Amino acid sequence: QVRLVESGGGSVQAGGSLRLSCAASGYGYSRTCMGWFRQVAGKKREGVAAIDSDGSKNYADSVKGRFTVSQDNAKNTLYLQMNSLKPEDTGMYYCAADRGRCGTYWRSDAWYNDWGQGTQVTVSS
């Protein structure tokens, strides 16, 4: 009964910042790969950032230098700090988790077992 709940989305102007949070339950007994994806209606979910089970971090080229993924293991919470937001960052952002290492599959949405409900991010020009 894994549960992931995202929060922190909203509407901002280009250049602004948002911090997304993902509260996780049901993973206290194992190491996991956790990632952030985003999706526009009619498009495939795109991998944005992830923290693998070995602690390594990965980012999509489009967000490097602007987004930072982090986690608080004690609180079972994953974060995504988004700075210098652009209109192309607009989308529904999802938190995902998989028990084990993702490796090179961190950006593949089919690899993850569990998903949150999503939180909307809208960036206006």
Short mmCIF file of all heavy atoms in Angstrom, two decimals, residues 42-80:
data_model
loop_
_atom_site.label_atom_id
_atom_site.label_comp_id
_atom_site.label_asym_id
_atom_site.label_seq_id
_atom_site.Cartn_x
_atom_site.Cartn_y
_atom_site.Cartn_z
N GLY A 42 -1.78 14.74 -23.65
CA GLY A 42 -1.53 14.12 -24.93
C GLY A 42 -0.10 13.71 -25.18
O GLY A 42 0.20 13.10 -26.21
N LYS A 43 0.81 14.01 -24.24
CA LYS A 43 2.22 13.68 -24.39
C LYS A 43 2.65 12.65 -23.36
O LYS A 43 2.02 12.48 -22.32
CB LYS A 43 3.08 14.94 -24.25
CG LYS A 43 2.75 16.05 -25.23
CD LYS A 43 3.10 15.66 -26.64
CE LYS A 43 2.86 16.82 -27.59
NZ LYS A 43 3.21 16.47 -28.98
N LYS A 44 3.75 11.97 -23.66
CA LYS A 44 4.31 10.99 -22.74
C LYS A 44 4.96 11.70 -21.56
O LYS A 44 5.50 12.79 -21.71
CB LYS A 44 5.33 10.13 -23.47
CG LYS A 44 5.93 9.02 -22.63
CD LYS A 44 6.93 8.21 -23.44
CE LYS A 44 7.55 7.10 -22.62
NZ LYS A 44 8.53 6.32 -23.40
N ARG A 45 4.92 11.08 -20.41
CA ARG A 45 5.58 11.64 -19.25
C ARG A 45 7.09 11.71 -19.46
O ARG A 45 7.70 10.75 -19.94
CB ARG A 45 5.26 10.81 -18.01
CG ARG A 45 3.89 11.10 -17.42
CD ARG A 45 3.59 10.24 -16.22
NE ARG A 45 3.43 8.84 -16.59
CZ ARG A 45 2.87 7.92 -15.82
NH1 ARG A 45 2.41 8.27 -14.62
NH2 ARG A 45 2.78 6.67 -16.21
N GLU A 46 7.68 12.84 -19.08
CA GLU A 46 9.10 13.11 -19.28
C GLU A 46 9.84 13.10 -17.95
O GLU A 46 9.42 13.77 -17.00
CB GLU A 46 9.27 14.47 -19.96
CG GLU A 46 10.70 14.95 -20.06
CD GLU A 46 10.81 16.39 -20.49
OE1 GLU A 46 9.85 17.16 -20.25
OE2 GLU A 46 11.84 16.77 -21.07
N GLY A 47 10.93 12.36 -17.88
CA GLY A 47 11.74 12.36 -16.67
C GLY A 47 12.42 13.69 -16.46
O GLY A 47 13.06 14.21 -17.38
N VAL A 48 12.30 14.25 -15.27
CA VAL A 48 12.87 15.56 -14.94
C VAL A 48 14.09 15.43 -14.06
O VAL A 48 15.15 16.00 -14.34
CB VAL A 48 11.81 16.45 -14.26
CG1 VAL A 48 12.44 17.78 -13.82
CG2 VAL A 48 10.63 16.69 -15.19
N ALA A 49 13.97 14.68 -12.97
CA ALA A 49 15.07 14.50 -12.02
C ALA A 49 14.79 13.28 -11.16
O ALA A 49 13.65 12.87 -11.00
CB ALA A 49 15.24 15.74 -11.14
N ALA A 50 15.84 12.70 -10.60
CA ALA A 50 15.68 11.52 -9.76
C ALA A 50 16.83 11.36 -8.79
O ALA A 50 17.94 11.84 -9.04
CB ALA A 50 15.56 10.26 -10.63
N ILE A 51 16.55 10.69 -7.69
CA ILE A 51 17.57 10.26 -6.74
C ILE A 51 17.51 8.74 -6.72
O ILE A 51 16.47 8.17 -6.36
CB ILE A 51 17.34 10.82 -5.33
CG1 ILE A 51 17.43 12.35 -5.33
CG2 ILE A 51 18.38 10.24 -4.36
CD1 ILE A 51 17.21 12.97 -3.97
N ASP A 52 18.59 8.10 -7.10
CA ASP A 52 18.61 6.65 -7.18
C ASP A 52 18.84 6.04 -5.80
O ASP A 52 19.12 6.74 -4.82
CB ASP A 52 19.71 6.20 -8.14
CG ASP A 52 19.34 4.96 -8.94
OD1 ASP A 52 18.54 4.15 -8.42
OD2 ASP A 52 19.84 4.79 -10.06
N SER A 53 18.70 4.72 -5.72
CA SER A 53 18.84 4.03 -4.45
C SER A 53 20.24 4.12 -3.87
O SER A 53 20.42 3.93 -2.67
CB SER A 53 18.43 2.56 -4.60
OG SER A 53 19.23 1.91 -5.58
N ASP A 54 21.24 4.40 -4.72
CA ASP A 54 22.62 4.56 -4.24
C ASP A 54 22.94 6.01 -3.89
O ASP A 54 24.08 6.32 -3.55
CB ASP A 54 23.62 4.03 -5.28
CG ASP A 54 23.59 4.81 -6.59
OD1 ASP A 54 22.76 5.72 -6.72
OD2 ASP A 54 24.40 4.48 -7.48
N GLY A 55 21.95 6.90 -3.96
CA GLY A 55 22.13 8.29 -3.62
C GLY A 55 22.50 9.20 -4.77
O GLY A 55 22.53 10.43 -4.60
N SER A 56 22.79 8.65 -5.93
CA SER A 56 23.16 9.47 -7.07
C SER A 56 21.96 10.25 -7.59
O SER A 56 20.82 9.80 -7.50
CB SER A 56 23.77 8.61 -8.18
OG SER A 56 22.82 7.65 -8.65
N LYS A 57 22.23 11.42 -8.17
CA LYS A 57 21.18 12.28 -8.70
C LYS A 57 21.31 12.42 -10.20
O LYS A 57 22.41 12.45 -10.75
CB LYS A 57 21.25 13.66 -8.04
CG LYS A 57 21.04 13.63 -6.54
CD LYS A 57 21.14 15.01 -5.93
CE LYS A 57 20.93 14.98 -4.43
NZ LYS A 57 21.02 16.34 -3.83
N ASN A 58 20.17 12.50 -10.86
CA ASN A 58 20.13 12.65 -12.31
C ASN A 58 19.15 13.75 -12.69
O ASN A 58 18.12 13.94 -12.03
CB ASN A 58 19.69 11.34 -12.97
CG ASN A 58 20.72 10.23 -12.79
OD1 ASN A 58 21.74 10.23 -13.45
ND2 ASN A 58 20.42 9.30 -11.90
N TYR A 59 19.48 14.48 -13.77
CA TYR A 59 18.65 15.57 -14.24
C TYR A 59 18.52 15.53 -15.75
O TYR A 59 19.47 15.17 -16.46
CB TYR A 59 19.24 16.92 -13.85
CG TYR A 59 19.32 17.19 -12.38
CD1 TYR A 59 20.49 16.89 -11.67
CD2 TYR A 59 18.26 17.75 -11.69
CE1 TYR A 59 20.58 17.14 -10.31
CE2 TYR A 59 18.34 18.00 -10.33
CZ TYR A 59 19.50 17.69 -9.64
OH TYR A 59 19.59 17.94 -8.29
N ALA A 60 17.35 15.92 -16.23
CA ALA A 60 17.18 16.12 -17.66
C ALA A 60 18.02 17.32 -18.08
O ALA A 60 18.17 18.28 -17.31
CB ALA A 60 15.71 16.35 -18.00
N ASP A 61 18.56 17.29 -19.29
CA ASP A 61 19.39 18.39 -19.76
C ASP A 61 18.66 19.73 -19.71
O ASP A 61 19.27 20.77 -19.44
CB ASP A 61 19.86 18.13 -21.20
CG ASP A 61 20.88 17.01 -21.28
OD1 ASP A 61 21.49 16.67 -20.25
OD2 ASP A 61 21.07 16.47 -22.39
N SER A 62 17.37 19.72 -19.94
CA SER A 62 16.59 20.95 -19.99
C SER A 62 16.46 21.66 -18.65
O SER A 62 16.10 22.84 -18.62
CB SER A 62 15.19 20.67 -20.56
OG SER A 62 14.50 19.75 -19.74
N VAL A 63 16.75 20.97 -17.54
CA VAL A 63 16.58 21.58 -16.22
C VAL A 63 17.88 21.68 -15.44
O VAL A 63 17.88 22.25 -14.33
CB VAL A 63 15.53 20.82 -15.38
CG1 VAL A 63 14.22 20.69 -16.14
CG2 VAL A 63 16.05 19.44 -14.96
N LYS A 64 18.97 21.18 -15.97
CA LYS A 64 20.25 21.25 -15.26
C LYS A 64 20.64 22.70 -14.97
O LYS A 64 20.54 23.56 -15.83
CB LYS A 64 21.35 20.57 -16.09
CG LYS A 64 21.26 19.06 -16.12
CD LYS A 64 22.40 18.45 -16.93
CE LYS A 64 22.32 16.93 -16.92
NZ LYS A 64 23.39 16.32 -17.74
N GLY A 65 21.06 22.94 -13.74
CA GLY A 65 21.44 24.28 -13.33
C GLY A 65 20.29 25.10 -12.82
O GLY A 65 20.51 26.17 -12.24
N ARG A 66 19.06 24.62 -13.01
CA ARG A 66 17.88 25.36 -12.56
C ARG A 66 17.08 24.60 -11.50
O ARG A 66 16.51 25.21 -10.60
CB ARG A 66 16.96 25.67 -13.74
CG ARG A 66 17.61 26.53 -14.82
CD ARG A 66 16.59 26.98 -15.86
NE ARG A 66 16.00 25.84 -16.57
CZ ARG A 66 14.71 25.54 -16.56
NH1 ARG A 66 13.85 26.30 -15.88
NH2 ARG A 66 14.26 24.50 -17.25
N PHE A 67 17.02 23.29 -11.61
CA PHE A 67 16.27 22.45 -10.68
C PHE A 67 17.22 21.68 -9.77
O PHE A 67 18.32 21.29 -10.19
CB PHE A 67 15.40 21.44 -11.42
CG PHE A 67 14.24 22.01 -12.19
CD1 PHE A 67 14.11 23.38 -12.39
CD2 PHE A 67 13.27 21.17 -12.71
CE1 PHE A 67 13.05 23.90 -13.09
CE2 PHE A 67 12.20 21.68 -13.41
CZ PHE A 67 12.08 23.05 -13.61
N THR A 68 16.78 21.43 -8.54
CA THR A 68 17.56 20.64 -7.59
C THR A 68 16.64 19.64 -6.91
O THR A 68 15.62 20.02 -6.33
CB THR A 68 18.22 21.53 -6.53
OG1 THR A 68 19.09 22.48 -7.16
CG2 THR A 68 19.06 20.67 -5.58
N VAL A 69 17.00 18.36 -6.98
CA VAL A 69 16.22 17.32 -6.31
C VAL A 69 16.91 16.96 -5.00
O VAL A 69 18.14 16.89 -4.93
CB VAL A 69 16.05 16.08 -7.22
CG1 VAL A 69 17.40 15.42 -7.52
CG2 VAL A 69 15.08 15.09 -6.61
N SER A 70 16.14 16.74 -3.96
CA SER A 70 16.69 16.39 -2.66
C SER A 70 15.69 15.53 -1.91
O SER A 70 14.53 15.39 -2.32
CB SER A 70 17.04 17.64 -1.86
OG SER A 70 15.89 18.43 -1.61
N GLN A 71 16.13 14.96 -0.79
CA GLN A 71 15.24 14.13 0.00
C GLN A 71 15.55 14.26 1.47
O GLN A 71 16.68 14.54 1.87
CB GLN A 71 15.33 12.67 -0.44
CG GLN A 71 16.71 12.06 -0.25
CD GLN A 71 16.81 10.65 -0.81
OE1 GLN A 71 15.84 10.11 -1.33
NE2 GLN A 71 17.99 10.06 -0.71
N ASP A 72 14.53 14.04 2.28
CA ASP A 72 14.65 13.99 3.72
C ASP A 72 14.19 12.60 4.12
O ASP A 72 12.99 12.35 4.23
CB ASP A 72 13.80 15.07 4.39
CG ASP A 72 13.98 15.12 5.89
OD1 ASP A 72 14.41 14.10 6.49
OD2 ASP A 72 13.71 16.17 6.49
N ASN A 73 15.14 11.70 4.30
CA ASN A 73 14.80 10.30 4.59
C ASN A 73 14.03 10.15 5.90
O ASN A 73 13.14 9.30 6.00
CB ASN A 73 16.06 9.45 4.63
CG ASN A 73 16.69 9.27 3.27
OD1 ASN A 73 15.99 9.20 2.26
ND2 ASN A 73 18.01 9.19 3.23
N ALA A 74 14.38 10.95 6.90
CA ALA A 74 13.71 10.86 8.19
C ALA A 74 12.23 11.18 8.08
O ALA A 74 11.41 10.63 8.82
CB ALA A 74 14.37 11.78 9.21
N LYS A 75 11.89 12.06 7.15
CA LYS A 75 10.50 12.46 6.97
C LYS A 75 9.85 11.80 5.76
O LYS A 75 8.70 12.09 5.44
CB LYS A 75 10.40 13.98 6.84
CG LYS A 75 10.87 14.73 8.07
CD LYS A 75 10.74 16.23 7.89
CE LYS A 75 11.18 16.98 9.14
NZ LYS A 75 11.08 18.45 8.99
N ASN A 76 10.61 10.92 5.08
CA ASN A 76 10.10 10.23 3.89
C ASN A 76 9.52 11.21 2.88
O ASN A 76 8.41 11.01 2.36
CB ASN A 76 9.05 9.19 4.29
CG ASN A 76 9.63 8.05 5.09
OD1 ASN A 76 10.74 7.58 4.81
ND2 ASN A 76 8.89 7.58 6.07
N THR A 77 10.28 12.25 2.59
CA THR A 77 9.81 13.30 1.69
C THR A 77 10.85 13.60 0.61
O THR A 77 12.04 13.72 0.90
CB THR A 77 9.50 14.59 2.46
OG1 THR A 77 8.52 14.31 3.48
CG2 THR A 77 8.94 15.65 1.53
N LEU A 78 10.38 13.71 -0.61
CA LEU A 78 11.20 14.07 -1.76
C LEU A 78 10.84 15.49 -2.18
O LEU A 78 9.67 15.87 -2.15
CB LEU A 78 10.94 13.11 -2.92
CG LEU A 78 11.77 13.29 -4.19
CD1 LEU A 78 13.19 12.80 -3.96
CD2 LEU A 78 11.12 12.54 -5.35
N TYR A 79 11.85 16.27 -2.58
CA TYR A 79 11.63 17.66 -2.98
C TYR A 79 12.17 17.93 -4.37
O TYR A 79 13.09 17.27 -4.84
CB TYR A 79 12.31 18.62 -2.01
CG TYR A 79 11.86 18.50 -0.58
CD1 TYR A 79 12.58 17.74 0.34
CD2 TYR A 79 10.72 19.15 -0.13
CE1 TYR A 79 12.18 17.63 1.66
CE2 TYR A 79 10.30 19.05 1.18
CZ TYR A 79 11.03 18.29 2.07
OH TYR A 79 10.63 18.19 3.38
N LEU A 80 11.60 18.93 -5.01
CA LEU A 80 12.13 19.45 -6.27
C LEU A 80 12.08 20.96 -6.20
O LEU A 80 11.00 21.55 -6.27
CB LEU A 80 11.33 18.94 -7.47
CG LEU A 80 11.90 19.36 -8.84
CD1 LEU A 80 13.25 18.69 -9.07
CD2 LEU A 80 10.93 19.00 -9.96
#
